[in-house]
Amino acid sequence: MTRVVRFHEIGGPEVLRIDNIDVPPPGPGEIRIRVRALGLNRAESMFRQGIYVVAPQFPERLGYEAAGIVETLGVGVEGFALGDVVSVIPPLLMPRWPAYGELATFPAELVVKHPSSLSMEEAAASWMQYVTAYGALVDVARLAKGEFVVITAASSSVGLAAIQIANRIGAIPIATTRTQAKRQAILDAGAAHVVVTDEEDLVARVRDITASRGARVVFDPIAGPVVETLAEAMADGGILIEYGLLSGEPTPFPLFQALTRSLTVRGYVYSEIVKDPAKLAAAKAFILDGLGSGALRPIIDRTFPFDAIVEAHRYLESNQQLGKIVVTLD
């Protein structure tokens, strides 16, 4: 028997329970790890609320990211040994390979022996944010040295990862945040410029920063009415990458800007990278190199013990954090 987090009905953080269950051994091509840390993601909150891309089947488990120790190898797994310290690239199907538990099983191709310089907490906080940002900025947008990129919701873990990746490439990250509260922290995290959207004109500031050219790349999880403003701040031939709908409002298509500036507006999901072996291999190499050199370093806002998973989810939904929320296991 092992302790895992499950929920038996849709609802708020209070529906999460720690249950004792039998966990089956890993199947062929899978690795079971003894979990030491979990990285929390908003997708897990959405899944718990019944508003994710897949519907829960009760009792349901959840969780995308983990770091720990290899405990059992499935048939056919090579390149790993019992006792290896590893972290996990989030799989495509969270309910099939849930992370929230003392033991968790994952496909071997998504298990990584990360640099020893990372703590368990940092390793558990790495893969979702860096793969998401890498896929958009490097694989899709082909962001290059010297180019400007606007990164909205920049205090999120993915936003901070995008800032670090832009800097590693030699691009110039322009971060946005609604209020002054997180402005200095975002600058300290590596943003070249921060636009406080409740107080400043985003288009005017971006035009000023870019000498009126605009930014070729915009990376946005907010959507809604702000899309037209973002398109207005873009350079001719630019690409606007939408990877979320945090606003919850209808999203207009910026037709005038798209026509007059030859803009591309593109939806993007993390799974584009994970389901493609070649793209996944390139992402692993880029991120592992950055983690090893220190160019990429996860920013952890706060950690919670496993028994406080309900409180951790409440904090996740508070939007107070700057960076990643991590849950630790003894």
Side-chain angles (χ1 to χ4, degrees):
M1 302 289 284
T2 188
R3 298 200 308 156
V4 304
V5 175
R6 297 197 298 185
F7 60 108
H8 298 253
E9 59 182 320
I10 288 171
E14 68 279 356
V15 303
L16 296 177
R17 290 171 28 183
I18 296 179
D19 295 336
N20 286 285
I21 67 169
D22 285 319
V23 176
E30 295 181 337
I31 296 176
R32 185 164 75 182
I33 71 171
R34 184 160 293 278
V35 178
R36 291 289 180 261
L38 301 164
L40 300 197
N41 295 280
R42 193 162 295 277
E44 294 144 15
S45 169
M46 295 171 66
F47 186 48
R48 191 202 68 234
Q49 296 174 72
I51 55 174
Y52 195 46
V53 292
V54 293
Q57 304 294 318
F58 303 117
E60 188 61 276
R61 296 185 57 193
L62 73 172
Y64 267 128
E65 290 184 282
I69 309 295
V70 172
E71 189 198 68
T72 311
L73 299 175
V75 174
V77 174
E78 298 179 351
F80 292 91
L82 303 186
D84 280 347
V85 176
V86 296
S87 51
V88 178
I89 298 172
L92 293 176
L93 295 174
M94 173 168 46
R96 172 65 180 83
W97 292 286
Y100 286 14
E102 294 174 328
L103 296 173
T105 299
F106 301 96
E109 64 269 20
L110 299 181
V111 178
V112 181
K113 288 185 274 190
H114 54 262
S116 59
S117 57
L118 294 184
S119 67
M120 285 290 191
E121 292 83 1
E122 289 171 325
S126 292
W127 290 102
M128 179 65 88
Q129 61 175 324
Y130 288 122
V131 172
T132 301
Y134 166 90
L137 300 186
V138 179
D139 184 72
V140 174
R142 304 295 180 187
L143 185 66
K145 182 177 180 179
E147 290 190 318
F148 292 94
V149 53
V150 172
I151 299 166
T152 65
S155 63
S156 69
S157 59
V158 174
L160 295 171
I163 290 170
Q164 293 181 7
I165 287 175
N167 283 328
R168 182 164 184 254
I169 292 168
I172 304 164
I174 304 171
T176 78
T177 185
R178 287 193 310 106
T179 70
Q180 287 283 350
K182 297 178 181 179
R183 179 181 179 277
Q184 188 57 50
I186 294 170
L187 286 169
D188 293 343
H193 307 274
V194 174
V195 181
V196 179
T197 56
D198 280 358
E199 302 176 11
E200 300 177 276
D201 183 313
L202 175 61
V203 175
R205 284 277 284 121
V206 172
R207 292 286 169 189
D208 180 60
I209 291 166
T210 63
S212 298
R213 294 193 303 274
R216 187 182 73 83
V217 180
V218 175
F219 185 45
D220 174 55
I222 301 170
V226 75
V227 165
E228 290 188 308
T229 303
L230 293 171
E232 191 63 33
M234 293 176 66
D236 291 353
I239 181 169
L240 169 57
I241 299 175
E242 290 293 334
Y243 71 103
L245 185 55
L246 293 178
S247 76
E249 299 181 58
T251 301
F253 183 77
L255 180 60
F256 178 77
Q257 295 90 340
L259 287 174
T260 57
R261 294 186 184 154
S262 302
L263 303 182
T264 297
V265 180
R266 189 198 194 280
Y268 164 76
V269 290
Y270 157 91
S271 60
E272 293 180 39
I273 304 300
V274 176
K275 69 184 180 183
D276 185 313
K279 291 183 177 184
L280 179 60
K284 280 185 187 179
F286 181 95
I287 294 164
L288 283 172
D289 183 71
L291 291 171
S293 70
L296 305 181
R297 196 76 183 186
I299 296 173
I300 297 175
D301 178 275
R302 188 172 171 185
T303 61
F304 292 82
F306 188 61
D307 287 332
I309 189 66
V310 171
E311 288 75 13
H313 265 242
R314 286 196 181 113
Y315 187 63
L316 175 67
E317 295 180 357
S318 73
N319 295 320
Q320 297 177 40
Q321 67 271 22
L322 187 136
K324 199 77 170 181
I325 300 167
V326 174
V327 169
T328 58
L329 294 85
D330 293 332

